[in-house]
Amino acid sequence: MMKFGSKNSASTPIKCTVRLLDDNQLLYSEFQINEKGSSLINRICEQLDLIEKDYFGLRYVDSKRQRHWLEPSKSIFKQIRDMEADNILFSFRVKFYPPNPFRLKEDITRYQIYLQLKRDLLHGRLYCNTSEAALLGAYILQAELGDFNPEEHIDNYVNELKILLKQTLQLEEKMMDIHKNELKGKTAAEMETIFLKKACVLDTYGVDPHAVKDQRGNQLYLGINHTGILTFQGSKKMNHFSWSQVQKINFEGKMFIIHIILNEKKQTIGFKCPRGSSCRHVWKCAVEQMLFFTFPSSSDVPNVVSGGGFFSWGTKFKYSGRVEREILEDMTITRESPSVTRVGSLRRKSSSEPPTPSNLVINQVAGFNSLPRSLTNTSEEYNTSVDSSNQIDNPSVLETLLEDQEIMTSKIEQEIHHEEILNDHLLIDFTTMGTDGSPLIQSISNQQSGQKHLETTAIRNSGSSLSFLRQALLPVIFALFMMVLIVVIILESDFDIIATIRKAPEIAAFKKNYYEPSKDFLLRRFIRSKIF
């Protein structure tokens, strides 16, 4: 295994694997040690024949199980240097969901958005009520299987397919009925268009959930998309802070802080994240979404700093790439729109194919979960959307799998058996009911720690040294400086109050025996020597 920082690593290309939105498709690539993230992202988009690449990004999980977006302007190596060099896995995902997918210029870009939304529906992120879930599921059936064929589609042919996270018998019957009677003759392209029109108006379109707690300790999760920042508790959408209301976003430690103007009054709202690293990730996601969707030009985007204090550095963030308005106004795309190569990617529940993400997450987290979980209750309906009244009708048991969770193994040939498991830090369980009868979210930290850390290298040692400098040495230097400054103020200033302090016997003795000799020495050593 090649280790980062070894003598040969500077000139040896580093291999990586990229999982596409269709889990059956992997791309194998490589990068140089000094190559920036934008180069790899551009290379993947070129292989997929995507020109409108600004909406997409690469996700990865570090050795501490924290997910990240690969930053285009930074060195790839510096971002993933604590990962095993022979097992680097990225996931190609939609980073910025376009508010209106039909303003995109090419069908091939819309197809990638469709694949992402199909994943979101499967993993429970694209919340919808029962009727909407059945419709979206039927659209997928028609797009993937074509017209209903009584010779091929017999009995409950949907039962073997994975379309929805909580796929009950009632939902399967509704999907089959719609597929059989309402969608005959529709092509795959037509069904994808109808699917997008339906999905992009849902409240949870483009929402990437993050587990937090409010100031009262209530369990919530944040959703960030093109409209702003949303908060959910159980089946209710609690708040929606539009980007026009948000004045500032920052974080301090584990606290994610939003400064808003509501009813012409400035308000500050804080949410506590599970860890400092997850809070920093939420902050970066929120800042990127706000800048991408609200600024008229990338040249107007300022550098952002947050999270600093007396004893720690602040986190700096520099936006890289174009903003949405620049993309929509770009008239340089003149090529003939490429044809879309569609692949049937419906998963089967019982087969020799790789395990699904939900199964993998349950297996990984089960040892740490003391909460009651319902996995096979087919009497429950898949009903998890937020309607216009912000209340889901008939709330149900739902297990929500968050985006981009990955398992990393040391064998590339086993990668197809691993869905995105570790690229988030929680599951959301709606099985526990609150005192008011509404389900409450319960977050489960993904506490697995089987990943091997990269062995000690020169570059990683330098990172450890920097960490020690920040955490130990700088506070000591700052404290000593403040002590010296206070002593100088007391012994040199002419304020009456301080003059009284100087008359104290202890202070006078300290000044005569220590302060004045040290002062004379410094004056002779550094001041007078320069004069003469």
Side-chain angles (χ1 to χ4, degrees), residues 117-124 133-142 144-145 157-167 171-172 175-176 195 345-349 382:
L117 290 172
K118 191 171 69 168
R119 289 181 56 84
D120 293 345
L121 185 65
L122 172 62
H123 297 317
L135 272 176
L136 293 174
Y139 296 159
I140 294 174
L141 286 176
Q142 181 68 21
E144 304 273 343
L145 304 181
Y157 58 94
V158 181
N159 184 51
E160 296 182 356
L161 305 176
K162 287 288 292 181
I163 300 176
L164 307 173
L165 180 61
K166 196 66 178 179
Q167 192 166 304
L171 268 174
E172 291 173 348
M175 285 190 286
M176 290 187 292
F195 182 95
S345 56
L346 284 179
R347 295 177 184 163
R348 297 186 178 276
K349 294 181 181 178
Y382 184 93

Side-chain angles (χ1 to χ4, degrees), residues 200-251:
C200 71
V201 298
L202 296 176
D203 283 332
T204 50
Y205 169 73
V207 164
D208 188 11
H210 304 274
V212 296
K213 289 183 179 180
D214 64 13
Q215 295 176 347
R216 298 180 179 178
N218 297 320
Q219 199 75 51
L220 308 173
Y221 69 93
L222 292 179
I224 306 169
N225 63 9
H226 65 278
T227 65
I229 301 175
L230 303 92
T231 63
F232 296 88
Q233 183 179 31
S235 61
K236 295 181 180 179
K237 183 176 72 173
M238 305 301 293
N239 293 290
H240 178 201
F241 309 113
S242 66
W243 291 129
S244 61
Q245 294 175 315
V246 177
Q247 301 299 302
K248 182 181 177 182
I249 305 170
N250 67 312
F251 76 97

Side-chain angles (χ1 to χ4, degrees), residues 32 350 457 467 470:
Q32 298 293 331
S350 56
T457 64
S467 177
R470 291 172 55 184

Side-chain angles (χ1 to χ4, degrees), residues 376-414:
T376 58
N377 187 357
T378 57
S379 66
E380 300 287 359
E381 289 190 338
Y382 184 93
N383 188 356
T384 59
S385 75
V386 182
D387 58 21
S388 58
S389 62
N390 296 341
Q391 173 68 46
I392 301 175
D393 53 337
N394 303 323
S396 65
V397 177
L398 174 67
E399 307 206 13
T400 306
L401 177 66
L402 300 190
E403 169 65 15
D404 292 330
Q405 299 178 308
E406 302 172 25
I407 283 184
M408 298 185 181
T409 64
S410 58
K411 297 181 180 180
I412 286 294
E413 63 270 15
Q414 293 180 346

Side-chain angles (χ1 to χ4, degrees), residues 21 41 53-59 68-73 79 91-98 112-113 116 206-208 224-226 281 284-289 292-293 317-321 403-404:
L21 287 164
I41 296 172
K53 56 190 176 184
D54 304 84
Y55 293 98
F56 304 93
L58 295 176
R59 267 185 165 164
H68 302 272
W69 286 105
L70 185 68
E71 295 192 35
S73 60
Q79 297 181 66
S91 295
F92 179 79
R93 296 291 177 260
V94 176
K95 186 176 185 179
F96 303 108
Y97 289 70
Q112 295 295 326
I113 305 297
Q116 177 70 71
V207 164
D208 188 11
I224 306 169
N225 63 9
H226 65 278
H281 176 67
K284 282 187 176 181
C285 290
V287 169
E288 278 193 293
Q289 294 284 329
F292 182 82
F293 288 111
F317 177 77
K318 184 178 181 180
Y319 183 82
S320 177
E403 169 65 15
D404 292 330

Side-chain angles (χ1 to χ4, degrees), residues 62 64-67 211 251 253-255 272-282 422 424-426 444-447:
D62 65 18
K64 297 179 181 179
R65 301 301 191 265
Q66 178 58 49
R67 61 177 183 169
F251 76 97
K254 297 180 181 180
M255 290 299 298
K272 187 176 182 180
C273 299
R275 301 185 301 274
S277 58
S278 59
C279 187
R280 185 164 50 250
H281 176 67
V282 173
L422 296 177
D424 214 329
H425 47 271
L426 61 104
I444 305 167
S445 297
N446 196 338
Q447 304 176 34

Side-chain angles (χ1 to χ4, degrees), residues 472-508:
L473 189 57
L474 287 179
V476 172
I477 294 174
F478 178 78
L480 290 174
F481 173 78
M482 293 301 297
M483 290 174 62
V484 172
L485 182 62
I486 292 172
V487 169
V488 171
I489 291 174
I490 292 175
L491 299 180
E492 296 291 343
S493 63
D494 296 329
F495 296 109
D496 294 338
I497 297 177
I498 297 179
T500 303
I501 298 175
R502 278 202 301 269
K503 292 178 181 179
E506 295 84 357
I507 301 297

